[in-house]
Amino acid sequence: MTHSRPSDPVRWRRDFPLLSQRVHGQPLIYLDNAATTQKPRVVIEAISRFYKTSNANVHRGSHALSAQATTAFEQARTTLANWLGIDDPACLIWTRGTTEAINLVAQSWGRNQLRADDLILLQQSSHHANIVPWQMLAETVGARIEVIPLQPDGDLDLEAYQLLLQKRPKLIALSHVSNALGTRYPVEQLCRLGRDAGAVTLVDGAQALPHFDIDLTRFGCDFYAFSGHKLFGPSGIGALWGRRELLEQMPPWQGGGEMIRDVSFSGTTYADLPFRFEAGTPNIEGAIGLAAAIEYMQQQDRTAMERHEQTLLQHARDCCSQLKGFHELPFGSDRVSLLSFELEGFHQQDVAHWLDRHGIAIRAGHHCAMPLMRSLGLLGSLRASFAFYNRLDEAEQLASCLDQLIQSQTTSTTVAFIEQKTSQNLIKRVYSATDWNARYQALMHIGQSLPGLPDALKQDCYRLHGCESRVWLVPALDDTGRLACQADADARILRALLALLLDRINGLTPAELLSTDLGAVLDQLDIRRHLSPSRGNGVAAIIQAIEAFARDPRG
């Protein structure tokens, strides 16, 4: 591959318009690239140009615009095929992304090839998209699932894998790179061993292709799936590559226009590859935008990009490792530029919220890898994921803001101990705060200082679902028929919001509560606009549960 432009991280960054904006008054530091990457100007312009000059449906039109759209759409398929080393573009199927690609294989290949007691091997660190479709399939056909474990250091347990292969699995679903740990797995070796054992292999490449190039002709897998939005392209577009001999055996998964050759009420014959798997109007602009992203990447020095990402990762590790309570999750012997960590004494959602207020976007939670998190004894982690357009000073700012959070809580705790503040004084500090940082610290202090629910009350019957964190609400009336509710959460911010709500409602009759606007409590604090959508939904779920109890306290 030739590189027509010099390697320059500063110039790379200028190619991405969104990165120049400010968030909460702070320069944006975007470290959530494993969730979705930003888009270069050429991608945005390619999509805009299509809408301005060539917008029409593809393949079946008899007019000039349709011909232009069809040419651009099919050229996009060829561009991706060439980039991946695929000599047969018809084996590259457009999908909405990795998730749909895996479901396509599960429903089309799996339903027709797997039988009762057939074995499916899944990776312990897989994304839910490479677990749940296989569980659904196994339940339908009666297949069995076993898990390829990880070693304590995060690497895949190769010895355990080889023992599982002796059970002659029919399908092995692998991850090229872990989205939660960043670990890069030796999938070429794993696929070779799997095929030698007679298994069909599928690889989730969503987290791999943004960081390095691959050549599928020497990869050895049977299916490879990936998403455009993680690859500096549009969302809602991705692809599945499959071996022709397997794809030709697979019946269509969805029916409709485009995937047919002939239709009558007595029967239908299906189109050849790739169209038999592309029912309906495709995401034309998405394919064109993704091709533009690939062409952009082909103009760069990918080796230099990967080297810069690794420098960013190591610099972030060096800066953060000095912080009190900073613990990295195990990541194996090889990984991409993804830093997954815990901050001792802090819930991951509280940390992510603090960083967001300082303009730093990271990801917090289980990262759609709940089985992995449970195996590590965690509810979730913090994940900072770097792309080639990130800067070294952004890694430093991440560490600096984490240190500010640690220091602010240490100072707050010391002051509280000296002054022996009561819960009412703590709540007054929230209402009297003059800016968000002061209010945030007061909320965090409440969440840290107030006693929580006894473990005996942290039962599933009191769990509120729909919240980003674990939340328990124990609704009750006292002897006079007034509310005497208790609540708790594992995130400090939510614990504090619960304390504010309970401070307002306990002592009211159910009728008085129902005439009170609980949302106004949050509005008074100007909190709603600082909550993430999922956390906002969680707060709404809490309010709904309290109001439901007030409407039917004996129910």
Side-chain angles (χ1 to χ4, degrees), residues 450-463 470-474 484-489 495 502:
L450 294 183
L453 277 177
D455 289 341
L457 290 178
K458 291 183 178 180
Q459 302 175 25
D460 192 62
C461 61
Y462 296 129
R463 273 284 302 275
R470 292 190 301 172
V471 174
W472 297 269
L473 175 67
V474 183
C485 302
Q486 300 179 72
D488 201 357
R495 288 192 76 215
L502 295 186

Side-chain angles (χ1 to χ4, degrees), residues 139-437:
E139 184 177 352
T140 299
V141 303
R144 297 178 295 116
I145 290 176
E146 293 197 34
V147 179
I148 310 166
L150 300 183
Q151 298 180 140
D153 65 357
D155 275 328
L156 184 137
D157 191 329
L158 188 57
E159 183 176 342
Y161 177 62
Q162 291 174 313
L163 289 174
L164 287 169
L165 291 179
Q166 295 177 13
K167 300 182 179 183
R168 312 299 292 182
K170 291 294 182 67
L171 174 81
I172 304 170
L174 301 167
S175 297
H176 200 162
V177 169
S178 166
N179 76 300
L181 304 176
T183 312
R184 179 175 176 174
Y185 301 108
V187 291
E188 292 185 46
Q189 178 186 12
L190 300 176
C191 289
R192 184 179 67 254
L193 292 171
R195 295 194 73 192
D196 289 346
V200 167
T201 56
L202 176 143
V203 177
D204 169 2
Q207 295 293 333
L209 296 182
H211 299 286
F212 51 85
D213 293 337
I214 66 170
D215 184 351
L216 282 176
T217 58
R218 57 182 185 82
F219 218 64
C221 64
D222 296 294
F223 297 102
Y224 196 91
F226 60 96
S227 298
H229 73 99
K230 298 183 189 295
L231 195 52
F232 313 100
S235 58
I237 189 70
L240 169 73
W241 172 82
R243 294 188 183 278
R244 175 173 279 274
E245 57 268 31
L246 294 178
L247 292 173
E248 288 182 336
Q249 297 170 6
M250 294 162 51
W253 177 34
Q254 296 175 323
E258 188 67 26
M259 48 75 65
I260 53 88
R261 179 178 296 161
D262 183 76
V263 176
S264 71
F265 285 110
S266 60
T268 296
T269 56
Y270 304 123
D272 294 330
L273 297 176
F275 307 115
R276 66 161 55 194
F277 296 112
E278 295 179 356
T281 298
N283 185 353
I284 306 166
E285 63 275 32
I288 291 170
L290 179 52
I294 299 308
E295 289 168 348
Y296 173 83
M297 300 295 287
Q298 289 177 313
Q299 293 174 358
Q300 317 304 323
D301 185 339
R302 286 278 271 171
T303 302
M305 284 179 162
E306 185 177 2
R307 185 166 56 246
H308 176 60
E309 289 179 354
Q310 289 297 317
T311 300
L312 286 165
L313 173 64
Q314 189 56 51
H315 192 54
R317 294 185 67 202
D318 291 343
C319 293
C320 292
S321 62
Q322 304 174 42
L323 302 176
K324 179 181 177 181
F326 176 86
H327 302 292
E328 276 191 84
L329 271 58
F331 52 83
S333 56
D334 188 13
R335 67 166 162 174
V336 299
S337 51
L338 185 155
L339 181 65
S340 198
F341 63 96
E342 299 176 272
L343 203 59
E344 187 177 335
F346 293 88
H347 190 278
Q348 65 268 11
Q349 301 292 348
D350 293 328
V351 178
H353 197 61
W354 168 269
L355 293 173
D356 174 62
R357 295 305 305 167
H358 291 80
I360 302 176
I362 69 167
R363 183 70 42 164
H366 52 66
H367 315 299
C368 291
M370 294 176 74
L372 170 64
M373 291 297 157
R374 290 195 182 102
S375 73
L376 297 172
L378 302 173
L379 293 173
S381 72
L382 294 152
R383 185 185 72 189
S385 48
F386 299 87
F388 56 83
Y389 44 59
N390 289 120
R391 302 187 309 253
L392 290 174
D393 66 287
E394 293 181 317
E396 295 166 4
Q397 188 65 19
L398 169 66
S400 175
C401 282
L402 290 173
D403 187 49
Q404 290 176 38
L405 174 61
I406 295 166
Q407 296 304 323
S408 70
Q409 293 306 296
T410 301
T411 302
S412 178
T413 301
T414 302
V415 171
F417 178 77
I418 293 174
E419 297 182 7
Q420 294 184 333
K421 292 182 180 294
T422 65
S423 61
Q424 285 301 313
N425 286 336
L426 292 174
I427 291 173
K428 288 178 181 178
R429 283 184 57 201
V430 176
Y431 287 106
S432 62
T434 57
D435 58 60
W436 171 250
N437 282 343

